Amino acid sequence: MENLTQAIARLKREKNAVVLGHYYQRGEIQDMADFVGDSLALAQWAAKTEAKIIVMCGVHFMGETAKILCPDKKVLVPDLKAGCSLADSCPADRFEQFIREHPGHTVISYVNTTAAVKALTDVVVTSTNARQIVESFPKDEKIIFGPDRNLGRYINAVTGRHMLVWDGACHVHERFSAEQLAQLKRLHPDAVTLAHPECPEAVLAQADVIGSTAALLKQAVAHPERTYIVVTEAGILHEMRKRCPTTTFIPAPPVGAACGACNECQDMRLNTLEKLYDCLRTESPEVQVDPAIAERAVRPIRRMLEISARLGL
Ligand code: 13P
């Protein structure tokens, strides 16, 4: 009698399906994925796969990005209700109004946006390539950056730019507290603090390394002898502990929680092994994107992939 993981592996083979998983997914989902990565890597992988079906184990915008890149493929997300607070913080109609109020600006949008927002965008970025893509524009380029105010402020600070930044945020990263992080750092004075740029400014000010999930993982793998305080969604700890089994990783807790508590994205947690199995079996739920929106949204995504390839990212 086959168990759940064997059944998932069989269905993947039988249906020529590839399972892509974000680092914030449950550990057991990451273990079943053919490829685990950050938002950029997932888009790159979706763009090049020859599989007939893409199962995107992540949140809705990641499935949308894959569908926009591969309109002829079936793109499934195990639980379509897996949304993103950051994408929700930037409704397309309000963003369009903002763009109209600031004519003459290049629009750079974080990948954590709906297809409709991407359709209003000149180039999409992720946390891996945002800095380099912004720097690929002339110093005096007028830029609108949305929707993450923390990432936008951080990119402005490190590049010396004055981008107009949309006032959105990721609820999970906003839950990290500067006071609690300072306390944790006092308890572990030798630990290196790794933080995602979606964290608030006062948290980033205490970080030793600021980067995407892939960049933070790379840092740990390069120096496994160190101890790390990890200030991002706790799902990344799964791959960190797998790749660095003897390293101590200390998750920063969400505000008000005790030391040792993890800050988890409940949307990312909606995908489970059972739902992954069901979605492969029934080939649903399928991600759909309005073809007229997809036609406009694909350009800034492809532009991001082209610039990233040129930069070797
Ligand atoms: P990266 O995947 O670019 O690290 O960003 C994390 C994130 O915001 C996922 O929603």
Side-chain angles (χ1 to χ4, degrees):
M1 178 71 187
E2 68 178 1
N3 62 28
L4 197 53
T5 57
Q6 288 165 336
I8 291 169
R10 173 179 53 77
L11 285 170
K12 281 198 299 187
R13 267 193 322 274
E14 285 175 4
K15 302 204 173 203
N16 187 11
V18 66
V19 175
L20 307 180
H22 191 270
Y23 288 130
Y24 292 164
Q25 289 289 287
R26 292 168 184 271
E28 61 268 28
I29 295 261
Q30 294 187 43
D31 290 340
M32 280 314 295
D34 297 292
F35 180 80
V36 186
D38 68 353
S39 307
L40 175 62
L42 294 181
Q44 289 170 323
W45 202 264
K48 70 181 178 200
T49 184
E50 284 178 3
K52 257 178 65 191
I53 297 176
I54 298 173
V55 184
M56 182 59 79
C57 293
V59 291
H60 189 261
F61 77 81
M62 297 175 180
E64 264 189 350
T65 304
K67 181 68 184 174
I68 292 165
L69 286 166
C70 312
D72 300 331
K73 291 190 197 294
K74 204 173 252 188
V75 178
L76 311 171
V77 173
D79 191 327
L80 269 189
K81 288 191 293 300
C84 170
S85 56
L86 187 45
D88 292 346
S89 71
C90 189
D93 55 343
R94 282 182 42 217
F95 195 56
E96 187 169 18
Q97 175 72 19
F98 185 71
I99 295 168
R100 251 192 259 119
E101 285 163 7
H102 301 94
H105 284 68
T106 293
V107 179
I108 300 186
S109 296
Y110 198 30
V111 70
N112 299 42
T113 44
T114 59
V117 166
K118 290 186 176 78
L120 300 167
T121 295
D122 294 302
V123 57
V124 168
V125 298
T126 75
S127 54
T128 285
N129 57 26
R131 180 182 181 159
Q132 288 98 321
I133 290 185
V134 167
E135 284 181 326
S136 73
F137 287 92
K139 197 98 187 134
D140 57 352
E141 183 88 9
K142 285 157 76 182
I143 295 173
I144 286 174
F145 185 92
D148 191 300
R149 60 173 172 251
N150 295 316
L151 178 65
R153 190 196 307 107
Y154 170 70
I155 300 290
N156 270 341
V158 294
T159 61
R161 306 278 171 138
H162 303 283
M163 302 186 298
L164 290 178
V165 177
W166 181 262
D167 192 21
C170 158
H171 291 177
V172 179
H173 287 91
E174 287 264 302
R175 279 202 298 263
F176 288 114
S177 127
E179 292 72 28
Q180 280 177 268
L181 177 58
Q183 201 180 350
L184 199 57
K185 283 168 71 87
R186 278 195 295 278
L187 284 173
H188 305 279
D190 297 328
V192 175
T193 299
L194 306 176
H196 196 280
E198 289 174 25
C199 293
E201 187 176 17
V203 168
L204 293 183
Q206 299 180 57
D208 300 300
V209 179
I210 297 170
S212 63
T213 46
L216 302 182
L217 176 66
K218 197 170 162 194
Q219 173 70 27
V221 170
H223 296 285
E225 72 286 359
R226 297 185 185 151
T227 293
Y228 294 98
I229 295 174
V230 181
V231 199
T232 188
E233 208 276 350
I236 187 67
L237 293 163
H238 182 72
E239 186 69 11
M240 284 178 166
R241 288 177 174 144
K242 249 168 107 171
R243 305 268 294 270
C244 311
T246 60
T247 304
T248 303
F249 293 103
I250 304 155
V255 65
C259 276
C262 283
N263 193 359
E264 294 180 344
C265 172
Q266 292 315 314
D267 283 282
M268 286 282 181
R269 295 288 172 290
L270 284 176
N271 294 324
T272 60
L273 271 193
E274 288 75 15
K275 289 180 196 169
L276 172 56
Y277 168 75
D278 278 341
C279 121
L280 277 163
R281 187 176 56 81
T282 62
E283 299 185 21
S284 71
E286 202 180 334
V287 178
Q288 302 288 359
V289 182
D290 176 332
I293 291 180
E295 200 185 310
R296 288 190 288 142
V298 76
R299 288 179 220 150
I301 302 173
R302 287 215 176 281
R303 194 164 170 197
M304 167 184 81
L305 295 177
E306 281 156 23
I307 300 174
S308 300
R310 225 184 303 133
L311 295 169
L313 296 170

